[in-house]
Amino acid sequence: MSQHFLDTEGPGWVERGIISPAQLQQLRALYPEQPRAIGLLPILGSVLVGLSALSVVAANWQDLPEVLRLGLLIGALVGAYAGSEYFLAGGHRGLGVGLASLGLLLFGASIVLTSQLYQLVGYDVTGLLAWVVAGVALTYVYQSRTLLLLTVFIGAMAQGYSVGSLSTYSYATALLTAGGLGYYWWRRPDGFCGAVLATGLLWQSALLIEHLHLKITWFFVPTMLVYAVGDWQPDRPAARTWQAPPLVAAFLFMLGLAMFGEAGSYTDRLRPQFVGFLGALLLVLLISVAGKRARGRLGSTTDWLLLLPGYYFPGGLPLAVAALVVLYAYSGSVLYRGFREQAPERVNLGTVLFVLTTMVAYFKLTWDFLNKSLFFLLGGLLLLGLSWYLRRQARTLPPTDQPPTSLP
Amino acid sequence: MVMLPLFSPVPERRRRWLLRLVAAQVLFVLLVAAAGYAVSHYGRTVALRTSPVDPRDLLRGDYVSLNYDISQVPRRLWRGEEEPRRRRPVYVQLQPTAAGYHRAVAVYPAAPAALPAGHVVLRGWIGNVWRQGLQLRYGLERYYVPENTGLGLQRQPLLVRISIAPWGQSRITGLEKLPADTAR
């Protein structure tokens, strides 16, 4: 509630006798005026001056003496952090954290430019690793989502460079992302940060699988481990966003199996060693189910339907059909849970998944057998029927602007 | 959890930690610079010959592209059990020649245990594999020079001096023009 709102509405409330003048004063004291934001113009002005200085330096970079170049880099680095501290002390948290982020970026730039200054070639990611360490530490020191997100990207880039250019996997970067940032998220759960961090962890996992030359299905072991962590997270809404990236990956994979599983030519490339792989996956399943039990969310165990290893069956139409059945079962379970928990966004998601699955099934199974016009006619009728059914279902739901009661 | 002000937003503690963090960052940048000097001080210097890069390939930015003789080596130098694979890290054994520069005599998948006297190992990566040879990448293919002076250097054979530190880093320490007739 803002001061301005109280100023305009408050006297009206007093007039109608809803609150007393003393209570209005109390309300005002409860929501003190925010420190006044810094005007946009001085900031824009400083940015322009900074940019002009930057372009002068960049244009003459190679001609400057080495010591001066090093001094400029370090000066800018220290200046950014000092500025951030100045604005934080003044109560401007946004600007302070922004400058700290700039400091972190300048640290990375300093490492790269200094190595270039001395024509130095490294054979490992020590420099980039130091950057990730700085990012994780700053995330804790500033307690900042911005810095967390920035560090996820720095970690992703460092790992990409390590695997792509140096042909080594930086386990330290992966551990810092998972342990350092993961622990921060665990203690300070947040929806958007969770989704980005989980995506970053999937990227780290994918690069590990690529580096170790494993079958791509192994990707789902670390991916579902990320998912299982969400099952233990007490903050349910944040956990749900955290689990979205692993589920999207699993759903897309199953969808791919439904679309192309028929070819069969590549299915043996998907088949990891039976006992080891299924053992690892079952272990993750146990961790996940234990978490769901502990937090009273056993209903969401149906998510694991997407992990049914259909690729051990021989390819061909039966595999595609089996994948479709699984996809239907999954979207059905999302719809069912949405209705039961009266979560409209879950119902919408389930509907989208249901339609997506139907489209794939339809293309898959009918394209070859049916006349084209009949194909579109049937498709249209199917979608109309579905929307009619869902609308009828929706009418039995209470309006969405009422607070959902049974939502945990 | 006492080590970091994990979740305590007390400004004094934050400031203290920030001070240490910034000091560590400045120190790290200075260490990178120090590594530059240390590599040329403690490293062993090898001289490598380059051949001119295609002159139609104009200067890119402010560096010279260097194409070393040891950037392409015959396949028979490969000493690995498995077939060479693209992007794999390799260790290239260099031997000094009477002409004053080094040439590659072997390419190993792992650091060789023992080397003849005078031989040096330079690390690199396999860029490409052909039936006859290997293309190697060393990370030393760019030499940064003041702007608009690079073009002349690229068109003639050069002798590039490289320092290789015992701990593995390497850097270009010097560049000189070779008389055209000593080139291939």
Side-chain angles (χ1 to χ4, degrees):
Chain A
M1 202 174 314
S2 74
Q3 275 286 332
H4 182 68
F5 183 68
L6 283 178
D7 283 345
T8 48
E9 298 294 320
W13 300 339
V14 176
E15 237 166 68
R16 292 187 197 175
I18 301 174
I19 54 172
S20 70
Q23 279 170 328
L24 181 61
Q25 286 309 316
Q26 280 174 343
L27 277 174
R28 281 185 190 213
L30 205 56
Y31 304 100
E33 202 156 0
Q34 297 294 314
R36 204 167 284 283
I38 298 180
L40 201 57
L41 279 179
I43 299 181
L44 273 179
S46 334
V47 167
L48 282 183
V49 171
L51 278 179
S52 94
L54 191 69
S55 66
V56 168
V57 170
N60 300 299
W61 186 249
Q62 298 292 344
D63 301 327
L64 299 175
E66 281 180 11
V67 181
L68 185 60
R69 278 191 263 178
L70 200 58
L72 275 172
L73 288 174
I74 290 177
L77 179 73
V78 173
Y81 286 117
S84 101
E85 205 45 38
Y86 172 79
F87 283 111
L88 275 180
H92 305 288
R93 178 157 168 88
L95 204 54
V97 169
L99 278 170
S101 311
L102 180 67
L104 181 60
L105 289 177
L106 280 171
F107 178 50
S110 303
I111 296 171
V112 173
L113 286 174
T114 312
S115 316
Q116 184 197 312
L117 183 64
Y118 295 100
Q119 315 268 349
L120 206 56
V121 178
Y123 298 92
D124 49 34
V125 280
T126 314
L128 291 175
L129 188 61
W131 198 9
V132 179
V133 170
V136 173
L138 282 173
T139 303
Y140 280 95
V141 169
Y142 281 95
Q143 311 275 302
S144 151
R145 293 167 26 135
T146 315
L147 282 164
L148 178 123
L149 295 174
L150 193 60
T151 309
V152 172
F153 285 112
I154 293 173
M157 205 197 56
Q159 196 64 273
Y161 177 76
S162 183
V163 171
S165 291
L166 303 176
S167 301
T168 54
Y169 188 79
S170 169
Y171 289 94
T173 302
L175 283 178
L176 276 167
T177 310
L181 299 180
Y183 181 70
Y184 183 88
W185 177 82
W186 180 265
R187 294 286 303 271
R188 290 275 154 96
D190 171 276
F192 180 67
C193 285
V196 173
L197 179 55
T199 311
L201 288 174
L202 296 199
W203 168 251
Q204 303 271 348
S205 314
L207 286 174
L208 179 64
I209 304 303
E210 142 87 16
H211 175 72
L212 296 176
H213 299 282
L214 293 177
K215 311 250 175 179
I216 57 166
T217 27
W218 270 104
F219 170 68
F220 288 103
V221 172
T223 295
M224 291 316 280
L225 200 59
V226 170
Y227 170 88
V229 168
D231 286 328
W232 285 93
Q233 168 62 256
D235 182 331
R236 179 123 195 216
R240 226 180 253 160
T241 2
W242 165 272
Q243 289 181 326
L247 285 178
V248 168
F251 187 86
L252 289 180
F253 182 76
M254 195 53 97
L255 206 62
L257 214 57
M259 274 158 93
F260 309 109
E262 211 179 330
S265 55
Y266 65 92
T267 37
D268 38 298
R269 272 192 269 155
L270 296 177
R271 270 175 220 150
Q273 199 259 334
F274 191 76
V275 179
F277 176 73
L278 282 194
L281 205 57
L282 276 178
L283 190 70
V284 180
L285 173 65
L286 282 181
I287 298 173
S288 162
V289 172
K292 288 178 196 294
R293 253 188 74 142
R295 306 278 182 237
R297 304 170 193 162
L298 272 177
S300 58
T301 313
T302 43
D303 287 348
W304 275 87
L305 278 174
L306 291 176
L307 273 296
L308 285 174
Y311 32 86
Y312 282 112
F313 295 112
L317 201 58
L319 175 60
V321 173
L324 281 171
V325 170
V326 168
L327 287 172
Y328 269 121
Y330 176 70
S331 8
S333 80
V334 173
L335 267 175
Y336 175 74
R337 266 157 56 207
F339 278 118
R340 221 194 45 187
E341 295 171 14
Q342 303 188 352
E345 86 282 350
R346 199 80 75 84
V347 175
N348 289 341
L349 177 70
T351 312
V352 169
L353 296 183
F354 195 83
V355 170
L356 206 63
T357 309
T358 306
M359 274 161 63
V360 170
Y362 192 62
F363 270 95
K364 195 76 238 165
L365 302 177
T366 55
W367 187 261
D368 292 339
F369 311 123
L370 289 179
N371 170 307
K372 297 289 175 291
S373 60
L374 201 59
F375 175 91
F376 288 116
L377 179 68
L378 273 180
L381 287 180
L382 197 67
L383 287 182
L384 281 174
L386 185 72
S387 83
W388 170 79
Y389 171 76
L390 286 174
R391 208 173 298 160
R392 214 188 56 161
Q393 285 289 321
R395 235 175 276 142
T396 62
L397 275 179
T400 52
D401 53 332
Q402 278 176 14
T405 42
S406 67
L407 201 68
Chain B
M1 291 305 120
V2 253
M3 288 302 292
L4 266 176
L6 258 180
F7 297 99
S8 94
V10 185
E12 290 73 42
R13 294 192 64 187
R14 189 199 61 222
R15 203 160 298 152
R16 205 166 60 228
W17 273 102
L18 182 69
L19 216 60
R20 288 177 212 177
L21 259 177
V22 175
Q25 289 180 25
V26 170
L27 188 69
F28 190 85
V29 175
L30 289 177
L31 274 178
V32 174
Y37 290 107
V39 167
S40 38
H41 190 262
Y42 295 105
R44 291 183 60 178
T45 305
V46 296
L48 296 174
R49 212 171 57 159
T50 71
S51 45
V53 171
D54 185 348
R56 280 168 303 177
D57 186 9
L58 290 171
L59 184 75
R60 298 179 219 137
D62 41 9
Y63 60 85
V64 188
S65 297
L66 299 174
N67 175 33
Y68 296 97
D69 286 1
I70 60 165
S71 294
Q72 293 84 26
V73 296
R75 180 72 176 263
R76 63 186 154 76
L77 297 188
W78 176 248
R79 296 286 183 273
E81 308 243 311
E82 306 167 18
E83 289 294 291
R85 216 181 46 233
R86 279 189 64 193
R87 292 175 48 203
R88 166 185 228 315
V90 291
Y91 296 76
V92 181
Q93 183 182 345
L94 302 175
Q95 181 194 30
T97 61
Y101 58 89
H102 287 67
R103 65 187 188 92
V105 288
V107 179
Y108 297 94
L115 286 178
H119 286 223
V120 190
V121 165
L122 182 62
R123 290 174 64 171
W125 294 270
I126 296 182
N128 225 332
V129 180
W130 296 297
R131 212 146 55 85
Q132 296 294 324
L134 302 174
Q135 195 198 353
L136 302 178
R137 182 168 65 81
Y138 296 94
L140 296 161
E141 283 78 9
R142 288 177 177 190
Y143 183 68
Y144 293 89
V145 288
E147 211 162 353
N148 300 328
T149 52
L151 196 53
L153 289 175
Q154 214 155 303
R155 287 189 174 154
Q156 55 191 28
L158 300 168
L159 199 64
V160 181
R161 294 197 187 279
I162 288 165
S163 278
I164 308 169
W167 57 88
Q169 284 178 311
S170 58
R171 67 174 285 206
I172 299 177
T173 46
L175 203 73
E176 59 191 77
K177 293 177 187 178
L178 274 180
D181 54 337
T182 59
R184 276 177 294 196

